[in-house]
């Protein structure tokens, strides 16, 4: 099991706020990693630094064995490190299909070709449509993104990152705002991804976390307070208190949210 | 359904434009010629402002490069119009590349101010450069020929056909680019510039390419202007021209290319024709028109026609 992403002593400060505090973390190639933690723990901030949109205050990031600490967002995306956003960031007045085409063209076409080319355009359209079918948005391909529901936009985010032919996808709360059916679809999609694509998911819904993850990292107030297999994290006493910032955190964390895999064992 | 009508409408409009000199007298023909040349400038503004989301007041600079290049080539080299067109477009594109390399690093209101500065600098340069006639303007441009050694175009109708040809060419370039991957990327910059780097796409390259294409189209418009007037003066590059070009884009519906063309027609007719009835108040009339347009047609002429019924979604 080789490490795809190695984070070493990563710190991000916004003025007086330390959003990410000395985080050291490894994501194994092919793993289904989950990152959890209470609101404001620094999960999105960590993603922002890993994606290259925000520069770390200190620390290093290695991706596929290469130091990418000083690589910019474009270079990281081209190397296969992409992310989705907690707050959808899409091309609102473009059609759903055009959104995905933008990513496909970057990948397989000539994104700045200033004239149409029937054959190349058809190939790009077919590849984009395939991504939309994967997330279940093929029927909506002609609609402007602005007419999609919140959940559909989240699905489109997924199609966009997959169109980048990624090696590592960072999903920031992908199921927030999705309907139950959309969430199920998303879970099946991620479970069906080839293992060449590694995923890290930030998720508040613990059903989703325990169903998907083979490894869980817990962030609280910017610090990594636990990192291990789901069983290890579940039995970590410190996690629950910190996660919810309350003495009875354990109850709320692991039994409030109905979780079929744990309910039986804990009853 | 409506889309199926578009090619038919386009063909009909082009046929009417081609046939116009057969019906109209020289004066209205020269008005339409002016609208076409100015309209192409407006299309170049829309490529940046409406399609790419970069509001520009500087396209007059590349229009000027095209106009003066055509004039200089006409005076000193050849009266051949296609040669003047090529030279004007090439120089305008190079000028756009060189200035754009810096200009497209900015965006929003800063971009607006920087392009305004580029336009004004070009204006001043034309005014001060004796080689191009200085403040007197560049006169003595011979009537152009279409074929080398052919008959010079003296009749308004023939000049009009040449300007129409340049216009259609420029419009075709704008439409082709806007339907290409580059055009999609330009709209991507407009919609969510920050998202593109996360997809591995540098926006600088997109914006610079858009700037060069728009500069080339503005240059073509400038050569058409010169072909009609056979005279270029610094006044043609005044700030007020940039202002009414941007006004035409807003009035017509930014980002649609054809809408701003209608906007250009309205603006030229109001400024050059109706203004005669309110002597001295032409600019005021444009100002009033603009205010009314912003309230009555918030999305421009094109936007109002295409307003869609909100689609009904299952709950
Ligand atoms: N741009 C910013 N400027 C200043 N402070 C910020 C900025 N972005 C985030 N923060 C702060 O950094 C801390 C971590 O925020 P972050 O959004 O990373 O948390 P999170 O774990 O993603 O939370 P949530 O679960 O609510 O999405 C918070 O205290 C937040 O207020
Ligand atoms: Mg977050």
């Amino acid at each position: 099991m080789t490490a795809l992403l190695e984070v070493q002593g990563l710190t991000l400060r916004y003025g007086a706020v330390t959003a990410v505090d000395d985080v050291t973390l490894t994501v194994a190639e092919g793993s289904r990693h989950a990152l959890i933690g209470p609101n404001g723990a620094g999960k999105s901030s960590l993603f922002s630094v890993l994606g290259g949109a925000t520069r770390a205050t200190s620390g290093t990031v290695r991706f596929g064995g290469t130091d990418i600490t000083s690589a910019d967002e474009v270079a990281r995306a081209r190397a296969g490190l992409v992310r989705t956003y907690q707050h959808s960031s899409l091309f609102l007045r473009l059609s759903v299909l055009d959104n995905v085409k933008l990513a496909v063209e970057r990948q397989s076409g000539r994104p700045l070709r200033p004239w149409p080319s029937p054959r190349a355009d058809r190939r790009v359209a077919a590849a984009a449509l395939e991504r939309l079918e994967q997330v279940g948005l093929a029927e909506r391909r002609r609609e402007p993104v602005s007419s999609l529901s919140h959940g559909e936009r989240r699905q489109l985010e997924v199609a966009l990152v997959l169109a980048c032919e990624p090696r590592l996808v960072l999903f920031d709360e992908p199921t927030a705002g999705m309907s139950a059916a959309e969430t199920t679809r998303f879970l099946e999609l991620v479970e069906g991804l080839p293992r060449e694509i590694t995923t890290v998911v930030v998720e508040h819904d613990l059903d989703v976390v325990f169903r998907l993850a083979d490894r869980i990292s817990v962030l609280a107030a910017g610090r990594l307070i636990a990192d291990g297999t789901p069983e290890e994290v579940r039995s970590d006493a410190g996690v629950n208190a910190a996660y919810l910032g309350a003495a009875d955190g354990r109850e709320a964390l692991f039994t409030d949210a109905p979780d079929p895999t744990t309910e039986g064992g804990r009853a | 359904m409506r889309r199926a009508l578009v090619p038919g409408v386009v063909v009909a409009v082009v046929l009417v434009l081609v046939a116009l000199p057969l019906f109209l007298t020289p004066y209205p023909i020269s008005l339409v010629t002016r609208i076409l040349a100015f309209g192409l400038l407006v299309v170049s503004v829309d490529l940046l402002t409406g399609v790419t989301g970069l509001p520009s007041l500087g396209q007059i600079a590349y229009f000027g490069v095209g106009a003066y290049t055509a004039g200089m080539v006409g005076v000193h080299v050849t009266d051949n119009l296609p040669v003047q067109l090529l030279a004007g477009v090439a120089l305008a594109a190079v000028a756009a590349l060189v200035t754009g390399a810096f200009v497209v690093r900015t965006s929003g209101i800063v971009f607006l101010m920087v392009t305004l500065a580029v336009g004004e600098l070009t204006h001043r340069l034309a005014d001060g450069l004796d080689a191009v006639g200085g403040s007197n303007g560049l006169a003595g441009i011979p009537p152009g020929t279409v074929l080398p050694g052919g008959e010079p175009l003296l009749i308004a109708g023939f000049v009009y056909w040449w300007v129409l040809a340049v216009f259609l060419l420029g419009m075709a370039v704008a439409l082709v680019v806007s339907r290409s991957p580059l055009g999609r990327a330009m709209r991507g910059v407009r919609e969510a510039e920050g998202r593109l780097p996360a997809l591995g796409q540098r926006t600088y390259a997109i914006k610079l390419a858009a700037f060069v294409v728009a500069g080339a189209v503005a240059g073509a418009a400038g050569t058409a202007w010169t072909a009609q007037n056979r005279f270029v003066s610094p006044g043609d590059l005044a700030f007020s021209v940039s202002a009414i070009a941007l006004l035409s884009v807003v009035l017509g519906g930014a980002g649609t290319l054809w809408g701003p063309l209608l906007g250009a027609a309205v603006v030229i007719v109001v400024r050059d024709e109706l203004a005669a009835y309110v002597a001295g108040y032409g600019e005021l009339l444009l100002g009033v028109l603009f205010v009314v347009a912003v309230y009555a047609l918030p999305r421009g002429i094109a936007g109002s026609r295409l307003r869609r019924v909100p689609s009904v979604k299952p709950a």
Side-chain angles (χ1 to χ4, degrees), chain A residues 35-49:
Chain A
L35 180 64
I36 62 173
N39 291 108
K43 307 177 296 289
S44 298
S45 301
L46 177 59
F47 271 17
S48 176
V49 172

Side-chain angles (χ1 to χ4, degrees), chain B residues 79-158:
Chain B
D79 59 5
N80 188 254
L81 290 171
V83 172
Q84 295 176 14
L85 171 66
L86 282 180
V89 168
L91 242 64
V94 169
L97 180 66
V98 172
T99 49
F102 302 96
V103 171
V104 301
R105 290 188 191 280
T106 64
S107 61
I109 209 81
V110 178
F111 183 88
L112 189 76
M113 297 326 284
V114 173
T115 54
L116 166 63
V118 169
E120 274 304 280
L121 281 174
T122 313
H123 180 195
R124 298 268 163 251
L125 190 67
D127 201 58
L129 209 61
D130 289 335
V132 297
S135 53
N136 295 327
L138 181 58
I141 302 167
T145 57
V146 174
L147 298 173
E151 281 294 300
L153 306 182
L154 282 168
I155 301 165
F158 288 126

Side-chain angles (χ1 to χ4, degrees), chain A:
Chain A
M1 199 173 65
T2 55
L4 178 61
L5 185 73
E6 296 156 278
V7 179
Q8 186 61 244
L10 203 68
T11 299
L12 172 68
R13 285 198 194 91
Y14 294 113
V17 180
T18 304
V20 179
D21 191 357
D22 195 21
V23 167
T24 296
L25 179 71
T26 299
V27 176
E29 177 116 51
S31 71
R32 298 287 172 259
H33 207 113
L35 180 64
I36 62 173
N39 291 108
K43 307 177 296 289
S44 298
S45 301
L46 177 59
F47 271 17
S48 176
V49 172
L50 294 179
T54 310
R55 199 159 275 273
T57 311
S58 60
T60 60
V61 183
R62 295 174 69 80
F63 181 63
T66 333
D67 189 332
I68 58 162
T69 311
S70 54
D72 67 4
E73 211 176 0
V74 171
R76 292 184 196 204
R78 290 187 186 178
L81 199 177
V82 294
R83 60 187 286 235
T84 70
Y85 294 77
Q86 181 169 0
H87 304 287
S88 295
S89 165
L90 295 161
F91 308 98
L92 284 185
R93 285 193 289 163
L94 300 193
S95 74
V96 170
L97 189 64
D98 272 353
N99 270 258
V100 187
K101 277 185 184 173
L102 276 173
V104 172
E105 250 145 18
R106 166 62 239 153
Q107 215 51 45
S108 66
R110 293 196 291 157
L112 298 186
R113 170 163 48 82
W115 52 81
S117 149
R119 195 193 292 162
D121 290 343
R122 230 179 294 125
R123 188 157 34 79
V124 167
L129 191 58
E130 204 176 299
R131 297 308 179 190
L132 287 178
E133 273 158 5
Q134 224 176 337
V135 301
L137 279 178
E139 267 96 84
R140 308 279 272 154
R141 64 184 175 277
R142 284 182 220 287
E143 305 269 330
V145 173
S146 52
S147 75
L148 295 188
S149 73
H150 190 68
E152 287 169 327
R153 292 183 193 193
R154 308 314 311 248
Q155 290 173 293
L156 182 55
E157 283 268 357
V158 176
L160 267 189
V161 292
L162 293 182
C164 292
E165 293 172 21
R167 289 180 71 191
L168 173 64
V169 184
L170 310 174
F171 289 108
D172 198 347
E173 303 196 17
T175 68
M178 282 189 187
S179 68
E182 286 165 342
T183 300
T184 307
R185 175 157 203 134
F186 171 77
L187 288 173
E188 285 166 357
L189 172 70
V190 173
E191 284 166 346
L193 286 179
R195 286 284 160 162
E196 290 83 69
I197 302 179
T198 307
T199 60
V200 181
V201 180
V202 164
E203 189 50 74
H204 283 296
D205 183 338
L206 293 164
D207 288 347
V208 172
V209 169
F210 284 106
R211 177 165 161 188
L212 276 188
D214 50 29
R215 190 145 188 108
I216 299 177
S217 301
V218 187
L219 213 55
R223 300 194 72 95
L224 190 70
I225 58 162
D227 181 37
T229 64
E231 287 67 35
E232 283 164 1
V233 170
R234 203 180 271 144
S235 56
D236 187 316
V239 168
N240 298 282
Y243 187 81
L244 287 161
D248 60 346
R250 179 174 199 86
E251 198 177 298
L253 175 57
F254 290 126
T255 60
D256 235 24
D259 180 3
T261 58
T262 54
E263 256 169 14
R266 289 188 178 276

